[in-house]
Amino acid sequence: MKTSQYFLWGFVLNVLIVNPCLAVLKTQALAVEDPSVRIHQLPFSELVESRSISLVGSESVAYVNFGSRLDEVVSNVSLVLDFIPSPALLSLVSHIKVFLNDELMGVIPIEEGEQGKRVNTRLPFEPRFVSDFNQIRFEFIGHLHPTCTNPNDPSIWAEISSSSTLHIQTQKSILRSDLSLFPAPFFDKRDFSALSLPIVVGEAFDLETIRVAGILASYFGVLANWRAIDFPLSINALPQQHAIVLMTNKNKPDFLKDFPDTKEPIVQVITHPFNPYVKLLLVIGKDSNDLAQAAKGLVLGQQLLTGPMVVIDKVKQIEKRRPYDAPKWLNTDRRIAFSELVKNQLDLQVEGRNPPPVHINFRLPADLFTWQSRGIPLTLNYHYSPPIEDDSGSRLNLLINNQFIEAFNLTSQGEGSDQQRIRVPLIEDLLTQFDRIRIPAFKVGSNNRIDFKFSFASLTGGKCQSMQPSKHFAVVDANSTIDFSGFPHYIQMPNLRAFANSGYPFTRLADLSETVVLLPTQKSTAVLQTFINLMGYMGQYTGYSSIHVDLKQTWTEKELRDKDILSIGVIPQLQQRLIATDEANLVLKASRRLLKLPFKNVQQADHQWRHADDEQTPIDLVSVKAMGNFAAMTGSQSPFNSQRSVVSIVGNTSADFQLVTDGLNDKGKTPYMYGSVVLFKDTEVASYDVGEEYFLGELPIWTLVLYHFSHYPILLASLAVLLVLMVTIVLWRVLKIVNKRRLEIKEADK
C-alpha cells in the first residue's frame, strides 16, 4: 500500500511541479538561444565623449543619446546607473530625475549614508516610449540645508560614471525587400555602434570588381560618419549578417550561381537564403563595367530608389569636382554661417542653469596655410535668459578644440551687443564694425570643434533664498559666421598626419579623380581588404564617394605622372624607383626591415613641423630580420612628378595590414602619426621625420620668401640689413645726382 501511495504522489509531483518547471526552463533556454532576440549592453563610454558626466549645481542637466534599429523592436530597456553624489548633499530631498524622450522614467533619491560613495542602481524604462532616436535626460536636484538654498554652491554635485550601462533587449523584425528603406538595414543611422558590412565577390573576380567594392565602401564610410568601420571581403562565402554581393554574369558566388543573367546594371535587395531576418544587397552587371555603373547609380541616386529592384539606365558626371570642395570640408572661399554647420538650428539652443555646451563641428583642408595669420574672424551673436544683475557672474565661455579662448559676461540685456568689440587678447583690429573674435589657431586637416559654454549664476537674497529665473535658455544665433577665406593652400611634405586625419593629398579632390592605387600583381586578400577599408576612410574624410579612384596592378610612368599614388603591399617596381631616387626611407621585404633613422625624433602628439636642417636628416641605417606582426606607412615625393606624392602601406601578412586599419580606426592613435614613416606594432605606433622635404601649393612671393627664411633668423636679419644698405646707397646716389643737376641749373640761371 505504501509503495502505491509513493508512486501516486511521485506521479502527481512529476505532472504538477517537475514537468512545468522543466518546460519553463526549456522555454527560457530557447528564448536565450533564439537568434531573433538580442541583448545589447551600451556603456556610457560608447555613448558620450567625456569619460564621465558631471552634474554641477542644482537643476543641472545632462543628456545621453542612443538609437533603435529599423529591423529591431525594443522589448525591454533598463538603465544601470553608476554615480557618486557629493558628500555634502542632504538625503531624500536631493535626487536625480531620469527622463526618456521627455517622459519621466523614475527618480533616484540620495539615501542617507550614500553621500560621497559609489552608488549603483538599476532603473527600468517603459519600452513603449522608445523611438528611432532616443534621449535620456538627467536632471539633478541638490540641497545642502533644509532652509538655506544656494543652487550654485560648489558642494552640490554628482558624477555619473562612464561605466553606467544601458541594457536593451530587442526582437528582430522581418523587413520587406524594398530599396526605399535604403541604406537601411545595411547601414542604419539609428545604430550608434561600429559599422561592419561584409562585401561578397565570386572567386573569378577581377580588379574592376574590387574597385567597385571600394566605391561602395567609401559610400558607406560617408554614411558611417564618426563610427568605426570595417568592410570584410568575403570570397565565395555567405555571411550570416546583412551584406553586399557583387555579381557579373561570369562571376557569381556559389550560393547564387543559379541567379539569372542580366543585360543591364541592376541593384536589388533579396532575403538571405537561410535567415529571414537578414538582407542581401545585390549589385549586378553583365560585366565589370556594368557593375561599376550599377554601383555609381546606387551611391549617387539613393533618393530615386524604390521597390525591390532598380535598373540603372545612365550615370553621367555633369561637372567635374573642384579642389577642396569635399562636402565635409568647410568652404574657404567665403564667410560661412553657423546655420550651414549644424543639421538642425535647435542644436544651437540649450537650457538649464549649467547647460551642456553648444557644439559647432567642421573639418578644414589639410594644406590650409595659416602661418603668422592674425587669426580667424568669427562674428558672434547670441541670446539668453537675462540675469537679474549685470555683474551676477553669469558667463559665456568660448573654447576651441577644448582650449579656453575667452569668457564673455552675460548682462541683463539678454543678448550679445553688436557695439561691443570682442577679441582674443593680443589681437587688435580697429577696422571691424561688429562683434568679431580673432581665433588664434585651428587644427588644419582635422575635425575642429567650437564650444559655447553658458553658465548662469544665482543671486542670494534674504534668508539665503536665491533670486533667479525659473528656467534658463541660451541660443547662439544661426547668422553668426566664421571666415576662412583668403588663406592660401601650401603644405610641407611628407606629412602622414595629413593623410591619417584627412586622407590628404588624395582627398584634395573628393572623388579621388587624381588618385591611383597600386596593388601587387599577386591577389592577396589582405591587400584587397586594406584597399576597401581605406576607401571607407576616404568617404569618412570627405563626405563623398570615391567614384573616380583608379586601381592598377600594372602601370607605366606616363600613367602615374599626373597622379598621387597610394601603394598597398610591397610593389618591387615602385620601391626600386623610390630607392633609385633616394626617396625610400623604409624597405620591407619578407622578414627583412630596413629603416633610416633621423638625427632627432620627437614623439609627441602636437608635433606639427620640423626644421629642414634637423629632424629630417638621416644619420643611422638599421636593418633587421624579425618575426611578429609589423606594418608601416611611408610618405615621399613622387619619383614621376615633383608636385605629386606617394603614400605606401606595407606589410607581409593579414595581421600586419590589420594593424594599419585598426590604427587608422583608433582616434587615440591617429594624433601620434606624423612625418614620413609610421610603424605599427601590436599595441603602439611610432612616427619618424626623415628624408627629403618638399612643398605642395602656392604662396605669394613675399610670404614664400619670409616663410622659408624664417628658419634662419640670422640670415634673414643679415639680408634685411644688406637690403637696407643697398636701398640707402641707391637713394644716396640718386639724391646726389638730383642735387648736382639742381646746382647746375642754378649756375646756368646766373
Side-chain angles (χ1 to χ4, degrees):
M1 186 68 180
K2 285 186 178 181
T3 303
S4 60
Q5 287 178 342
Y6 289 145
F7 177 80
L8 180 61
W9 279 109
F11 177 78
V12 171
L13 289 172
N14 188 60
V15 171
L16 297 180
I17 299 177
V18 177
N19 286 348
C21 290
L22 290 175
V24 169
L25 291 173
K26 186 176 181 181
T27 302
Q28 291 177 346
L30 289 174
V32 171
E33 296 175 1
D34 187 350
S36 66
V37 176
R38 296 182 62 192
I39 305 291
H40 306 267
Q41 294 189 9
L42 303 177
F44 280 15
S45 58
E46 297 180 5
L47 300 176
V48 296
E49 294 182 6
S50 58
R51 294 293 299 170
S52 61
I53 301 174
S54 297
L55 296 167
V56 181
S58 187
E59 298 183 25
S60 56
V61 179
Y63 301 91
V64 174
N65 300 315
F66 69 98
S68 174
R69 287 183 59 89
L70 179 66
D71 55 355
E72 295 180 349
V73 177
V74 175
S75 57
N76 200 336
V77 186
S78 63
L79 171 67
V80 176
L81 193 64
D82 188 3
F83 70 101
I84 299 177
S86 167
L89 291 176
L90 195 63
S91 62
L92 298 182
V93 292
S94 299
H95 53 273
I96 300 175
K97 295 192 289 185
V98 183
F99 295 81
L100 174 63
N101 297 330
D102 294 326
E103 290 284 346
L104 182 63
M105 294 291 105
V107 178
I108 301 174
I110 308 300
E111 303 283 357
E112 188 63 41
E114 291 181 344
Q115 297 93 331
K117 299 179 180 178
R118 183 172 294 275
V119 179
N120 191 282
T121 184
R122 178 181 288 269
L123 181 65
F125 286 177
E126 282 285 346
R128 59 193 175 95
F129 292 114
V130 176
S131 61
D132 292 344
F133 295 97
N134 305 279
Q135 185 179 78
I136 302 174
R137 184 172 83 248
F138 299 98
E139 289 189 3
F140 175 54
I141 306 298
H143 291 274
L144 303 179
H145 192 274
T147 58
C148 183
T149 303
N150 179 9
N152 288 328
D153 193 297
S155 297
I156 300 177
W157 58 265
E159 195 79 11
I160 299 176
S161 171
S162 60
S163 63
S164 299
T165 307
L166 197 61
H167 295 259
I168 305 175
Q169 180 175 308
T170 62
Q171 172 72 44
K172 280 283 188 181
S173 60
I174 298 177
L175 297 178
R176 65 186 187 277
S177 297
D178 191 345
L179 286 168
S180 63
L181 302 175
F182 187 80
F186 309 99
F187 167 78
D188 196 327
K189 60 184 179 181
R190 307 162 186 83
D191 189 351
F192 296 170
S193 59
L195 172 65
S196 178
L197 181 63
I199 298 179
V200 184
V201 297
E203 289 184 346
F205 67 90
D206 58 10
L207 203 61
E208 181 66 7
T209 300
I210 298 302
R211 191 180 80 88
V212 171
I215 292 173
L216 292 172
S218 69
Y219 170 71
F220 282 97
V222 174
L223 299 176
N225 197 0
W226 45 266
R227 301 167 181 83
I229 55 175
D230 185 32
F231 301 95
L233 179 63
S234 181
I235 300 176
N236 203 29
L238 178 61
Q240 298 304 311
Q241 64 184 90
H242 302 305
I244 302 172
V245 182
L246 306 182
M247 296 195 307
T248 63
N249 291 347
K250 294 183 178 180
N251 180 35
K252 301 175 184 177
D254 289 344
F255 58 87
L256 290 174
K257 62 182 179 181
D258 296 327
F259 202 86
D261 289 347
T262 182
K263 297 181 180 179
E264 49 198 353
I266 290 175
V267 176
Q268 185 174 352
V269 176
I270 65 171
T271 301
H272 191 283
F274 309 112
N275 190 336
Y277 301 104
V278 174
K279 297 294 180 182
L280 300 178
L281 178 66
L282 308 184
V283 182
I284 312 170
K286 67 177 184 293
D287 54 28
S288 297
N289 292 331
D290 262 15
L291 190 68
Q293 180 171 327
K296 291 178 182 178
L298 176 68
V299 303
L300 298 177
Q302 171 195 334
Q303 297 83 357
L304 306 176
L305 307 181
T306 58
M309 182 184 74
V310 296
V311 176
I312 308 299
D313 291 326
K314 186 178 182 180
V315 179
K316 182 180 179 181
Q317 186 178 34
I318 299 175
E319 184 178 350
K320 289 185 177 181
R321 305 289 306 193
R322 299 187 305 276
Y324 311 107
D325 69 349
K328 267 196 172 184
W329 292 8
L330 187 139
N331 190 329
T332 58
D333 296 332
R334 59 179 177 85
R335 187 178 298 180
I336 301 297
F338 283 8
S339 58
E340 302 177 59
L341 301 177
V342 294
K343 293 182 179 179
N344 191 327
Q345 291 195 18
L346 289 177
D347 294 339
L348 299 173
Q349 178 176 303
V350 291
E351 62 181 79
R353 183 179 296 107
N354 190 25
V358 173
H359 300 303
I360 303 290
N361 295 282
F362 55 89
R363 184 184 289 272
L364 291 172
D367 61 352
L368 200 66
F369 188 79
T370 58
W371 179 72
Q372 284 197 345
S373 72
R374 297 183 60 207
I376 312 301
L378 171 67
T379 303
L380 178 62
N381 295 307
Y382 51 94
H383 303 273
Y384 50 88
S385 301
I388 297 174
E389 296 181 2
D390 286 348
D391 298 324
S392 64
S394 300
R395 297 284 186 270
L396 166 59
N397 295 310
L398 171 64
L399 296 92
I400 298 172
N401 297 324
N402 293 322
Q403 180 181 358
F404 174 75
I405 300 299
E406 192 167 349
F408 311 119
N409 188 39
L410 301 184
T411 68
S412 57
Q413 294 180 359
E415 62 180 358
S417 172
D418 286 343
Q419 302 304 319
Q420 179 188 5
R421 293 190 177 170
I422 305 170
R423 289 178 181 83
V424 173
L426 305 180
I427 299 298
E428 193 63 34
D429 186 359
L430 299 178
L431 300 178
T432 55
Q433 299 177 354
F434 304 99
D435 280 1
R436 285 201 168 200
I437 306 159
R438 287 282 178 173
I439 300 172
F442 280 92
K443 296 177 181 177
V444 294
S446 301
N447 278 324
N448 291 274
R449 190 175 78 182
I450 306 176
D451 290 335
F452 300 96
K453 174 64 175 172
F454 292 89
S455 60
F456 296 94
S458 61
L459 296 177
T460 303
K463 296 183 179 179
C464 298
Q465 297 302 308
S466 63
M467 299 177 292
Q468 56 193 344
S470 58
K471 203 163 191 178
H472 294 272
F473 291 89
V475 59
V476 177
D477 282 2
N479 60 6
S480 300
T481 62
I482 189 168
D483 189 1
F484 281 89
S485 62
F487 288 92
H489 293 275
Y490 193 73
I491 187 173
Q492 180 177 309
M493 299 289 284
N495 188 335
L496 289 177
R497 169 175 276 116
F499 173 77
N501 287 320
S502 66
Y504 183 87
F506 311 107
T507 51
R508 188 179 68 91
L509 287 164
D511 58 1
L512 270 61
S513 55
E514 294 184 1
T515 295
V516 60
V517 181
L518 301 182
L519 303 182
T521 52
Q522 308 91 341
K523 286 184 178 179
S524 165
T525 303
V527 170
L528 302 179
Q529 173 74 69
T530 303
F531 163 73
I532 294 172
N533 279 336
L534 283 175
M535 292 302 102
Y537 300 143
M538 297 299 173
Q540 284 188 312
Y541 298 145
T542 63
Y544 193 79
S545 302
S546 308
I547 56 176
H548 288 137
V549 65
D550 196 4
L551 187 62
K552 294 182 180 297
Q553 287 180 306
T554 58
W555 42 272
T556 64
E557 287 190 19
K558 184 179 179 180
E559 292 174 320
L560 303 184
R561 191 161 296 149
D562 294 323
K563 299 282 189 178
D564 290 306
I565 303 168
L566 176 58
S567 167
I568 305 175
V570 178
I571 302 175
Q573 186 180 355
L574 178 63
Q575 198 164 62
Q576 288 169 7
R577 185 58 187 265
L578 293 173
I579 293 172
T581 55
D582 201 27
E583 294 290 344
N585 298 311
L586 179 135
V587 177
L588 183 64
K589 184 176 181 182
S591 61
R592 179 171 174 249
R593 306 166 188 173
L594 184 148
L595 173 67
K596 293 179 182 178
L597 293 176
F599 175 74
K600 183 175 71 173
N601 183 52
V602 183
Q603 293 279 1
Q604 57 184 25
D606 59 352
H607 182 82
Q608 296 291 342
W609 59 279
R610 60 181 184 255
H611 291 290
D613 60 349
D614 187 291
E615 297 162 14
Q616 67 174 16
T617 307
I619 64 167
D620 293 311
L621 183 66
V622 179
S623 178
V624 301
K625 289 185 178 180
M627 305 300 291
N629 297 335
F630 179 87
M633 187 163 62
T634 66
S636 62
Q637 190 174 29
S638 171
F640 313 110
N641 188 328
S642 62
Q643 287 299 299
R644 296 292 182 174
S645 302
V646 177
V647 173
S648 299
I649 296 174
V650 289
N652 288 315
T653 66
S654 298
D656 293 346
F657 286 104
Q658 191 62 42
L659 290 176
V660 178
T661 54
D662 289 346
L664 292 174
N665 243 338
D666 189 343
K667 303 309 179 187
K669 290 181 179 178
T670 51
Y672 294 90
M673 301 179 191
Y674 63 84
S676 59
V677 178
V678 177
L679 305 181
F680 297 85
K681 293 184 282 187
D682 287 333
T683 58
E684 62 182 42
V685 297
S687 300
Y688 299 90
D689 263 336
V690 63
E692 291 296 324
E693 66 177 13
Y694 61 101
F695 294 85
L696 300 180
E698 296 180 354
L699 286 179
I701 185 64
W702 183 242
T703 305
L704 184 68
V705 172
L706 287 179
Y707 174 67
H708 285 283
F709 277 95
S710 65
H711 297 170
Y712 310 97
I714 297 177
L715 179 60
L716 185 62
S718 302
L719 289 175
V721 171
L722 180 62
L723 182 61
V724 170
L725 289 175
M726 292 174 62
V727 171
T728 303
I729 292 171
V730 171
L731 288 175
W732 179 76
R733 287 183 175 275
V734 170
L735 291 174
K736 186 177 180 181
I737 294 172
V738 170
N739 186 53
K740 183 178 180 180
R741 288 182 178 178
R742 184 173 59 82
L743 293 175
E744 289 175 351
I745 292 173
K746 283 184 178 181
E747 289 179 0
D749 289 342
K750 291 180 179 179

